[in-house]
Amino acid sequence: GAFIYNEKANKALNDFYSRKDTLSLGVCNGCQLMAELGLITPNKRELSPKMKHNDSHKFESEFVSVEIPKSNSILFKSLQNCKLGIWVAHGEGKFTFPTNNLKNKNEIAGMDIALKYAFDEYPANPNGSPARIAGVCSKDGRHLAIMPHPERALRAWNWAYYPNKNRKDLFTPWIEMFINGYKWCLKNKK
C-alpha cells in the first residue's frame, strides 16, 4: 500500500523502473510484490501476473529442480539451458496470468518465462503454476521475479544433493546470476 498510496514512494519506484540503467530481482515475497505492483510489465500493468495459493493449500519447503530456458534475463544470461537444484519456501507461489496465451513456450503476456520447474506434477512443481513457471522477467530482461531461492543454494552444503566430484566448489552455479548482474551494472553505469 505504501508504494501505491504514498506519492513520494510511488514516484521513487516509478522513476527507478523507468530508468534504463537499473536491474531488479524479486525472490519469493519480492516476486509477489513485483507482481502485485505490476513491475515486471510496467507499461502494461494489467498483464502482470498474480500470485495465488499453492494448489496443495499449504506452505511448501523443499529442494526441487529447475530449468533455465532461453530468455532475455540479464541475471540468467550465462545459465540458460541449465538444470539446477534450488530451494522453495512459500505458500502463495502459484503464478496466474490475465491471459493463458503462451506466445511461444518461453513467453507469456508481455514478459519472458525465465525459470521453470523441471517437472509438471506436484511436488516437483510445488505450487501448480501453469507451464511449470517459476519465474518471469521483463521483456528487456532487466527485472526478474522468481519464487525459488537462489540465495539459499549458493554453497554446495546448502544443496540437498550436490555431486561428490564438485563438493569442494567454493560456490554453486547460482553465483553466476549475481556475477551477471555485477558485470551488467559495470557496463551500464552512468
Side-chain angles (χ1 to χ4, degrees):
F3 282 118
I4 294 171
Y5 300 112
N6 180 306
E7 191 176 316
K8 285 184 180 181
N10 189 287
K11 182 180 179 337
L13 190 66
N14 288 331
D15 288 350
F16 177 85
Y17 277 87
S18 66
R19 291 172 36 197
K20 298 298 181 202
D21 64 339
T22 60
L23 284 176
S24 65
L25 169 63
V27 175
C28 198
N29 294 122
C31 174
Q32 294 167 336
L33 183 65
M34 289 175 80
E36 192 63 32
L37 293 174
L39 299 175
I40 305 150
T41 56
N43 297 329
K44 296 182 179 179
R45 291 188 177 190
E46 70 279 1
L47 295 178
S48 184
K50 298 293 179 200
M51 307 310 293
K52 302 290 183 186
H53 288 280
N54 298 340
D55 282 354
S56 66
H57 302 288
K58 62 183 182 175
F59 182 86
E60 299 288 345
S61 178
E62 58 192 277
F63 194 76
V64 299
S65 294
V66 291
E67 298 173 350
I68 303 169
K70 187 176 189 313
S71 74
N72 289 325
S73 173
I74 291 163
L75 296 179
F76 287 155
K77 186 175 184 176
S78 64
L79 292 169
Q80 290 179 5
N81 300 315
C82 287
K83 287 185 181 182
L84 298 170
I86 196 167
W87 289 100
V88 294
H90 56 260
E92 297 90 21
K94 181 178 182 176
F95 278 89
T96 60
F97 300 89
T99 175
N100 286 330
N101 183 17
L102 281 167
K103 293 183 180 182
N104 64 50
K105 44 184 198 176
N106 295 330
E107 184 181 336
I108 188 167
M111 65 201 97
D112 282 358
I113 298 169
L115 191 65
K116 291 183 170 194
Y117 296 108
F119 302 96
D120 289 323
E121 301 300 319
Y122 177 85
N125 177 347
N127 47 47
S129 287
R132 306 181 343 234
I133 297 171
V136 294
C137 71
S138 59
K139 285 306 292 173
D140 62 7
R142 295 184 303 121
H143 306 294
L144 177 65
I146 61 176
M147 283 310 295
H149 289 269
E151 79 285 0
R152 294 183 184 179
L154 288 176
R155 304 283 191 150
W157 49 266
N158 293 129
W159 287 43
Y161 170 78
Y162 201 76
N164 281 335
K165 66 180 182 167
N166 301 99
R167 279 275 175 206
K168 295 192 188 240
D169 288 355
L170 188 56
F171 292 101
T172 70
W174 286 113
I175 195 68
E176 282 291 312
M177 68 184 289
F178 301 103
I179 292 169
N180 291 335
Y182 175 73
K183 287 178 180 177
W184 187 90
C185 287
L186 285 179
K187 184 178 171 186
N188 291 281
K189 70 180 180 179
K190 285 187 175 183

